Amino acid sequence: NGVAVSISFTVYGICLCRARTARTGTTWTQEIVDLLLHNGDAEVCKRAPTAVRIPFLEICAPPPIPSGLDLIEQMKPPRVIKTHLPIQLVPKGFWENKCKVIYMARNAKDNLVSYFHFDRMNLTQPEPGPWDGYIHKFMKGQLGWGSWYDHVKGYWKEHKERNILYILYEDMKENPFREIKRIMHYLDLSVSEDVIKRIVQLTSFQVMKDNPMANYSYIPKPVFDQSISVFMRKGEVGDWVNHFTSAQSQMFDEDYANQMKDVDIPFRFSI
Ligand code: A3P
């Protein structure tokens, strides 16, 4: 679940956010936004890796990952920025300057599975430990960037008032043309239907998996060990059924109903 913000493309540009630390389709959204801003020009969007084209606001990691703040300082508007911060920690300037914010969220079970594999291969993250224990850590909000539940609810509750575009991974999978058009309108951009179709193709899972500027192959060990699990892993809705036992699923669902009872976010666990 990611977010992007813009202040009429003058101060910050666009900010992309997601729920929890990663694994909700942030990189996908970043590629779509970059292509929309460049009229679907694939070559221009291969000018640098994702993390350089669209800095990660709060990242402060060992090389070769660039510091988000250093990159942002060097950028000229429109600035597109990625963050995983929960809404209460987004710097006030984003709101005061009316940055556009695109929030990408993904159903909890697929997010959990994806994050588990990410924690296995990201050597800068804590060890995920056994699968069963990881499910409990997720439910208790004991993973990086805190509780998934609080994160998705925080943005959901304020999305109308703050003019946040709240998009769902499952909707994007189901109909990328429709969702990319929504993003285009939200950003006050206008590209032709043919260009949108090209962006759908350029941001398909397989094309991005093969694109060295979008697949994070430029971040090797000791940060990512992609021999354990690749960054562009499966890109599917419903992979959780291959991980949860029926007892784990039932236990998760009961807790989910309780933690999510105060909101009605239309997440889907299959499409
Ligand atoms: P999986 O681990 O389920 O494959 P993020 O960029 O927020 O870290 O999210 C990464 C997740 O988004 C991974 O999920 C990755 O495969 C998926 N993803 C990235 N690009 C995608 C695309 N073009 N289409 C579908 N899923 C994509």
Short mmCIF file of all heavy atoms in Angstrom, two decimals, residues 84-130:
data_model
loop_
_atom_site.label_atom_id
_atom_site.label_comp_id
_atom_site.label_asym_id
_atom_site.label_seq_id
_atom_site.Cartn_x
_atom_site.Cartn_y
_atom_site.Cartn_z
N HIS A 84 5.97 5.06 3.01
CA HIS A 84 5.13 4.05 3.66
C HIS A 84 4.64 4.57 5.01
O HIS A 84 4.09 3.81 5.80
CB HIS A 84 5.93 2.76 3.90
CG HIS A 84 6.33 2.05 2.64
ND1 HIS A 84 5.55 2.01 1.53
CD2 HIS A 84 7.44 1.32 2.35
CE1 HIS A 84 6.17 1.30 0.59
NE2 HIS A 84 7.31 0.88 1.07
N LEU A 85 4.83 5.84 5.28
CA LEU A 85 4.48 6.36 6.61
C LEU A 85 2.98 6.27 6.85
O LEU A 85 2.18 6.53 5.94
CB LEU A 85 4.91 7.82 6.74
CG LEU A 85 6.42 8.08 6.74
CD1 LEU A 85 6.69 9.59 6.70
CD2 LEU A 85 7.08 7.46 7.97
N PRO A 86 2.58 5.94 8.08
CA PRO A 86 1.15 6.04 8.40
C PRO A 86 0.73 7.50 8.34
O PRO A 86 1.56 8.40 8.48
CB PRO A 86 1.09 5.49 9.84
CG PRO A 86 2.46 5.57 10.37
CD PRO A 86 3.40 5.51 9.21
N ILE A 87 -0.55 7.72 8.15
CA ILE A 87 -1.02 9.09 7.83
C ILE A 87 -0.61 10.12 8.88
O ILE A 87 -0.28 11.25 8.55
CB ILE A 87 -2.55 9.10 7.58
CG1 ILE A 87 -2.96 10.41 6.92
CG2 ILE A 87 -3.35 8.82 8.85
CD1 ILE A 87 -4.29 10.38 6.22
N GLN A 88 -0.59 9.71 10.15
CA GLN A 88 -0.29 10.70 11.19
C GLN A 88 1.18 11.14 11.17
O GLN A 88 1.53 12.13 11.80
CB GLN A 88 -0.68 10.16 12.58
CG GLN A 88 0.15 9.02 13.12
CD GLN A 88 -0.30 7.65 12.65
OE1 GLN A 88 -1.03 7.52 11.67
NE2 GLN A 88 0.14 6.60 13.33
N LEU A 89 2.03 10.40 10.46
CA LEU A 89 3.45 10.78 10.39
C LEU A 89 3.84 11.45 9.07
O LEU A 89 4.99 11.85 8.89
CB LEU A 89 4.33 9.53 10.61
CG LEU A 89 4.22 8.86 11.98
CD1 LEU A 89 5.20 7.71 12.10
CD2 LEU A 89 4.47 9.86 13.11
N VAL A 90 2.90 11.59 8.15
CA VAL A 90 3.21 12.29 6.89
C VAL A 90 3.50 13.76 7.23
O VAL A 90 2.71 14.39 7.95
CB VAL A 90 2.03 12.17 5.90
CG1 VAL A 90 2.24 13.07 4.68
CG2 VAL A 90 1.85 10.72 5.46
N PRO A 91 4.63 14.30 6.74
CA PRO A 91 4.96 15.68 7.09
C PRO A 91 3.83 16.66 6.74
O PRO A 91 3.19 16.52 5.70
CB PRO A 91 6.21 15.97 6.24
CG PRO A 91 6.81 14.62 5.97
CD PRO A 91 5.66 13.66 5.90
N LYS A 92 3.60 17.62 7.65
CA LYS A 92 2.47 18.55 7.48
C LYS A 92 2.51 19.28 6.14
O LYS A 92 1.49 19.63 5.57
CB LYS A 92 2.49 19.59 8.61
CG LYS A 92 1.96 19.06 9.91
CD LYS A 92 1.68 20.23 10.86
CE LYS A 92 1.32 19.67 12.23
NZ LYS A 92 2.18 20.19 13.28
N GLY A 93 3.74 19.53 5.64
CA GLY A 93 3.88 20.27 4.39
C GLY A 93 3.14 19.63 3.22
O GLY A 93 2.66 20.33 2.32
N PHE A 94 3.04 18.31 3.25
CA PHE A 94 2.32 17.64 2.16
C PHE A 94 0.86 18.10 2.12
O PHE A 94 0.29 18.34 1.06
CB PHE A 94 2.35 16.12 2.35
CG PHE A 94 3.64 15.48 1.92
CD1 PHE A 94 4.73 15.42 2.78
CD2 PHE A 94 3.78 14.94 0.65
CE1 PHE A 94 5.91 14.83 2.39
CE2 PHE A 94 4.96 14.34 0.25
CZ PHE A 94 6.04 14.29 1.13
N TRP A 95 0.27 18.20 3.30
CA TRP A 95 -1.15 18.59 3.38
C TRP A 95 -1.30 20.09 3.16
O TRP A 95 -2.18 20.52 2.41
CB TRP A 95 -1.74 18.18 4.73
CG TRP A 95 -1.45 16.76 5.08
CD1 TRP A 95 -0.69 16.31 6.12
CD2 TRP A 95 -1.87 15.57 4.37
NE1 TRP A 95 -0.61 14.94 6.11
CE2 TRP A 95 -1.33 14.45 5.06
CE3 TRP A 95 -2.65 15.33 3.24
CZ2 TRP A 95 -1.55 13.14 4.66
CZ3 TRP A 95 -2.87 14.02 2.83
CH2 TRP A 95 -2.32 12.94 3.54
N GLU A 96 -0.41 20.87 3.81
CA GLU A 96 -0.53 22.33 3.68
C GLU A 96 -0.36 22.77 2.24
O GLU A 96 -0.98 23.73 1.80
CB GLU A 96 0.54 23.01 4.56
CG GLU A 96 0.25 22.90 6.04
CD GLU A 96 1.45 23.22 6.93
OE1 GLU A 96 2.53 23.54 6.40
OE2 GLU A 96 1.30 23.11 8.15
N ASN A 97 0.48 22.07 1.51
CA ASN A 97 0.73 22.45 0.12
C ASN A 97 -0.15 21.70 -0.88
O ASN A 97 0.09 21.74 -2.07
CB ASN A 97 2.20 22.22 -0.21
CG ASN A 97 3.09 23.19 0.53
OD1 ASN A 97 3.00 24.39 0.34
ND2 ASN A 97 3.92 22.68 1.42
N LYS A 98 -1.15 21.01 -0.34
CA LYS A 98 -2.15 20.32 -1.18
C LYS A 98 -1.51 19.34 -2.17
O LYS A 98 -1.88 19.29 -3.35
CB LYS A 98 -3.01 21.34 -1.94
CG LYS A 98 -3.69 22.37 -1.08
CD LYS A 98 -5.15 22.00 -0.84
CE LYS A 98 -5.89 23.01 0.00
NZ LYS A 98 -5.66 22.90 1.44
N CYS A 99 -0.51 18.60 -1.71
CA CYS A 99 0.06 17.54 -2.55
C CYS A 99 -1.01 16.51 -2.87
O CYS A 99 -1.89 16.24 -2.05
CB CYS A 99 1.20 16.84 -1.81
SG CYS A 99 2.63 17.87 -1.60
N LYS A 100 -0.90 15.95 -4.04
CA LYS A 100 -1.81 14.84 -4.37
C LYS A 100 -1.26 13.58 -3.72
O LYS A 100 -0.05 13.36 -3.73
CB LYS A 100 -1.91 14.66 -5.87
CG LYS A 100 -2.50 15.87 -6.54
CD LYS A 100 -3.35 15.52 -7.72
CE LYS A 100 -3.77 16.78 -8.41
NZ LYS A 100 -5.14 16.89 -8.76
N VAL A 101 -2.14 12.77 -3.21
CA VAL A 101 -1.72 11.54 -2.53
C VAL A 101 -2.46 10.35 -3.12
O VAL A 101 -3.69 10.31 -3.12
CB VAL A 101 -2.02 11.63 -1.02
CG1 VAL A 101 -1.62 10.34 -0.32
CG2 VAL A 101 -1.30 12.81 -0.40
N ILE A 102 -1.68 9.41 -3.63
CA ILE A 102 -2.28 8.16 -4.12
C ILE A 102 -1.92 7.08 -3.11
O ILE A 102 -0.74 6.81 -2.88
CB ILE A 102 -1.74 7.77 -5.51
CG1 ILE A 102 -1.99 8.89 -6.52
CG2 ILE A 102 -2.38 6.47 -5.99
CD1 ILE A 102 -1.24 8.70 -7.83
N TYR A 103 -2.92 6.49 -2.52
CA TYR A 103 -2.70 5.44 -1.51
C TYR A 103 -3.08 4.10 -2.11
O TYR A 103 -4.21 3.89 -2.53
CB TYR A 103 -3.55 5.73 -0.27
CG TYR A 103 -3.29 4.77 0.87
CD1 TYR A 103 -2.24 4.97 1.73
CD2 TYR A 103 -4.10 3.66 1.07
CE1 TYR A 103 -1.98 4.09 2.77
CE2 TYR A 103 -3.85 2.77 2.11
CZ TYR A 103 -2.79 3.00 2.95
OH TYR A 103 -2.54 2.13 3.98
N MET A 104 -2.12 3.18 -2.16
CA MET A 104 -2.36 1.85 -2.72
C MET A 104 -2.45 0.86 -1.58
O MET A 104 -1.50 0.70 -0.80
CB MET A 104 -1.21 1.50 -3.66
CG MET A 104 -1.21 0.10 -4.20
SD MET A 104 -2.56 -0.21 -5.33
CE MET A 104 -1.72 -0.96 -6.71
N ALA A 105 -3.56 0.18 -1.45
CA ALA A 105 -3.75 -0.81 -0.38
C ALA A 105 -4.01 -2.18 -1.00
O ALA A 105 -4.45 -2.29 -2.14
CB ALA A 105 -4.93 -0.40 0.50
N ARG A 106 -3.74 -3.22 -0.22
CA ARG A 106 -3.88 -4.59 -0.72
C ARG A 106 -4.49 -5.44 0.39
O ARG A 106 -4.23 -5.19 1.58
CB ARG A 106 -2.49 -5.12 -1.07
CG ARG A 106 -2.44 -6.48 -1.69
CD ARG A 106 -1.01 -6.87 -2.01
NE ARG A 106 -0.97 -8.02 -2.89
CZ ARG A 106 0.15 -8.59 -3.33
NH1 ARG A 106 1.33 -8.11 -2.96
NH2 ARG A 106 0.10 -9.63 -4.12
N ASN A 107 -5.24 -6.45 0.01
CA ASN A 107 -5.91 -7.25 1.06
C ASN A 107 -4.87 -7.82 2.03
O ASN A 107 -3.75 -8.17 1.65
CB ASN A 107 -6.81 -8.32 0.45
CG ASN A 107 -6.08 -9.59 0.06
OD1 ASN A 107 -5.55 -10.30 0.91
ND2 ASN A 107 -6.03 -9.88 -1.24
N ALA A 108 -5.29 -7.93 3.29
CA ALA A 108 -4.35 -8.22 4.37
C ALA A 108 -3.62 -9.54 4.20
O ALA A 108 -2.42 -9.64 4.47
CB ALA A 108 -5.11 -8.21 5.70
N LYS A 109 -4.31 -10.56 3.72
CA LYS A 109 -3.67 -11.88 3.66
C LYS A 109 -2.59 -11.92 2.57
O LYS A 109 -1.51 -12.47 2.78
CB LYS A 109 -4.72 -12.96 3.42
CG LYS A 109 -5.56 -13.26 4.66
CD LYS A 109 -6.64 -14.27 4.29
CE LYS A 109 -7.37 -14.79 5.50
NZ LYS A 109 -8.55 -15.58 5.11
N ASP A 110 -2.89 -11.36 1.40
CA ASP A 110 -1.86 -11.35 0.35
C ASP A 110 -0.71 -10.43 0.74
O ASP A 110 0.46 -10.71 0.44
CB ASP A 110 -2.46 -10.89 -0.99
CG ASP A 110 -3.21 -12.01 -1.70
OD1 ASP A 110 -2.84 -13.18 -1.52
OD2 ASP A 110 -4.17 -11.71 -2.43
N ASN A 111 -1.05 -9.32 1.42
CA ASN A 111 -0.01 -8.41 1.87
C ASN A 111 0.92 -9.11 2.86
O ASN A 111 2.15 -9.02 2.78
CB ASN A 111 -0.66 -7.18 2.51
CG ASN A 111 0.27 -5.99 2.61
OD1 ASN A 111 -0.17 -4.86 2.78
ND2 ASN A 111 1.57 -6.20 2.47
N LEU A 112 0.33 -9.86 3.76
CA LEU A 112 1.10 -10.59 4.77
C LEU A 112 2.04 -11.61 4.11
O LEU A 112 3.23 -11.68 4.44
CB LEU A 112 0.11 -11.29 5.70
CG LEU A 112 0.57 -11.87 7.04
CD1 LEU A 112 -0.65 -12.22 7.88
CD2 LEU A 112 1.44 -13.08 6.91
N VAL A 113 1.52 -12.37 3.16
CA VAL A 113 2.33 -13.38 2.47
C VAL A 113 3.49 -12.71 1.74
O VAL A 113 4.65 -13.13 1.84
CB VAL A 113 1.46 -14.17 1.45
CG1 VAL A 113 2.34 -14.98 0.52
CG2 VAL A 113 0.48 -15.07 2.18
N SER A 114 3.17 -11.65 1.02
CA SER A 114 4.20 -10.97 0.24
C SER A 114 5.27 -10.39 1.16
O SER A 114 6.47 -10.44 0.88
CB SER A 114 3.54 -9.88 -0.61
OG SER A 114 4.50 -9.25 -1.42
N TYR A 115 4.81 -9.84 2.28
CA TYR A 115 5.74 -9.22 3.23
C TYR A 115 6.63 -10.27 3.90
O TYR A 115 7.80 -10.04 4.17
CB TYR A 115 4.94 -8.45 4.27
CG TYR A 115 5.72 -7.35 4.96
CD1 TYR A 115 6.68 -6.60 4.28
CD2 TYR A 115 5.48 -7.04 6.29
CE1 TYR A 115 7.38 -5.61 4.92
CE2 TYR A 115 6.18 -6.04 6.93
CZ TYR A 115 7.13 -5.33 6.24
OH TYR A 115 7.82 -4.33 6.87
N PHE A 116 6.06 -11.44 4.12
CA PHE A 116 6.83 -12.54 4.72
C PHE A 116 8.01 -12.90 3.81
O PHE A 116 9.16 -12.99 4.25
CB PHE A 116 5.91 -13.75 4.92
CG PHE A 116 6.61 -14.98 5.42
CD1 PHE A 116 7.07 -15.06 6.73
CD2 PHE A 116 6.82 -16.07 4.58
CE1 PHE A 116 7.72 -16.19 7.21
CE2 PHE A 116 7.48 -17.21 5.04
CZ PHE A 116 7.93 -17.27 6.36
N HIS A 117 7.72 -13.06 2.53
CA HIS A 117 8.81 -13.41 1.60
C HIS A 117 9.81 -12.26 1.43
O HIS A 117 11.00 -12.49 1.25
CB HIS A 117 8.22 -13.84 0.25
CG HIS A 117 7.50 -15.16 0.34
ND1 HIS A 117 8.16 -16.33 0.61
CD2 HIS A 117 6.19 -15.48 0.25
CE1 HIS A 117 7.28 -17.33 0.67
NE2 HIS A 117 6.08 -16.82 0.45
N PHE A 118 9.29 -11.04 1.52
CA PHE A 118 10.18 -9.88 1.43
C PHE A 118 11.13 -9.85 2.64
O PHE A 118 12.33 -9.60 2.50
CB PHE A 118 9.32 -8.61 1.39
CG PHE A 118 10.11 -7.34 1.22
CD1 PHE A 118 10.83 -7.09 0.07
CD2 PHE A 118 10.12 -6.38 2.23
CE1 PHE A 118 11.56 -5.90 -0.10
CE2 PHE A 118 10.83 -5.20 2.07
CZ PHE A 118 11.55 -4.96 0.91
N ASP A 119 10.61 -10.14 3.82
CA ASP A 119 11.45 -10.16 5.02
C ASP A 119 12.48 -11.29 4.96
O ASP A 119 13.55 -11.19 5.57
CB ASP A 119 10.59 -10.30 6.28
CG ASP A 119 10.06 -8.96 6.76
OD1 ASP A 119 10.47 -7.93 6.20
OD2 ASP A 119 9.24 -8.94 7.70
N ARG A 120 12.17 -12.35 4.24
CA ARG A 120 13.15 -13.43 4.07
C ARG A 120 14.33 -12.95 3.23
O ARG A 120 15.48 -13.28 3.50
CB ARG A 120 12.51 -14.65 3.39
CG ARG A 120 11.52 -15.38 4.29
CD ARG A 120 10.78 -16.47 3.50
NE ARG A 120 11.69 -17.39 2.87
CZ ARG A 120 11.65 -17.74 1.57
NH1 ARG A 120 10.72 -17.26 0.77
NH2 ARG A 120 12.53 -18.56 1.08
N MET A 121 14.04 -12.16 2.19
CA MET A 121 15.13 -11.79 1.26
C MET A 121 15.76 -10.43 1.56
O MET A 121 16.88 -10.16 1.14
CB MET A 121 14.64 -11.86 -0.19
CG MET A 121 13.60 -10.85 -0.60
SD MET A 121 14.27 -9.21 -0.91
CE MET A 121 13.79 -8.95 -2.58
N ASN A 122 15.06 -9.58 2.31
CA ASN A 122 15.61 -8.26 2.63
C ASN A 122 16.45 -8.39 3.89
O ASN A 122 15.92 -8.46 5.01
CB ASN A 122 14.47 -7.25 2.83
CG ASN A 122 15.00 -5.85 3.05
OD1 ASN A 122 16.18 -5.66 3.37
ND2 ASN A 122 14.16 -4.86 2.88
N LEU A 123 17.76 -8.41 3.71
CA LEU A 123 18.65 -8.70 4.84
C LEU A 123 18.76 -7.53 5.82
O LEU A 123 19.36 -7.66 6.88
CB LEU A 123 20.03 -9.11 4.31
CG LEU A 123 20.01 -10.26 3.27
CD1 LEU A 123 21.41 -10.59 2.81
CD2 LEU A 123 19.31 -11.50 3.80
N THR A 124 18.15 -6.37 5.47
CA THR A 124 18.15 -5.24 6.41
C THR A 124 16.92 -5.26 7.30
O THR A 124 16.79 -4.45 8.21
CB THR A 124 18.22 -3.88 5.68
OG1 THR A 124 17.01 -3.69 4.94
CG2 THR A 124 19.40 -3.82 4.73
N GLN A 125 15.98 -6.16 7.03
CA GLN A 125 14.78 -6.28 7.85
C GLN A 125 15.01 -7.36 8.91
O GLN A 125 15.83 -8.26 8.70
CB GLN A 125 13.59 -6.72 6.99
CG GLN A 125 13.16 -5.69 5.97
CD GLN A 125 12.03 -4.82 6.49
OE1 GLN A 125 12.27 -3.66 6.80
NE2 GLN A 125 10.85 -5.34 6.62
N PRO A 126 14.29 -7.33 10.01
CA PRO A 126 14.44 -8.41 10.99
C PRO A 126 14.05 -9.75 10.35
O PRO A 126 13.22 -9.79 9.45
CB PRO A 126 13.44 -8.04 12.09
CG PRO A 126 13.12 -6.60 11.88
CD PRO A 126 13.31 -6.32 10.42
N GLU A 127 14.66 -10.82 10.84
CA GLU A 127 14.30 -12.18 10.37
C GLU A 127 12.80 -12.40 10.54
O GLU A 127 12.26 -12.06 11.60
CB GLU A 127 15.02 -13.21 11.24
CG GLU A 127 16.49 -13.37 10.95
CD GLU A 127 16.72 -14.28 9.75
OE1 GLU A 127 15.90 -15.18 9.52
OE2 GLU A 127 17.73 -14.05 9.05
N PRO A 128 12.13 -12.95 9.54
CA PRO A 128 10.68 -13.14 9.73
C PRO A 128 10.33 -14.21 10.75
O PRO A 128 9.26 -14.17 11.36
CB PRO A 128 10.19 -13.56 8.34
CG PRO A 128 11.39 -14.08 7.63
CD PRO A 128 12.58 -13.36 8.21
N GLY A 129 11.24 -15.19 10.94
CA GLY A 129 10.91 -16.30 11.85
C GLY A 129 9.91 -17.24 11.19
O GLY A 129 9.61 -17.10 10.01
N PRO A 130 9.38 -18.20 11.97
CA PRO A 130 8.46 -19.18 11.38
C PRO A 130 7.15 -18.53 10.91
O PRO A 130 6.72 -17.52 11.47
CB PRO A 130 8.18 -20.16 12.52
CG PRO A 130 9.11 -19.79 13.62
CD PRO A 130 9.63 -18.43 13.38
#
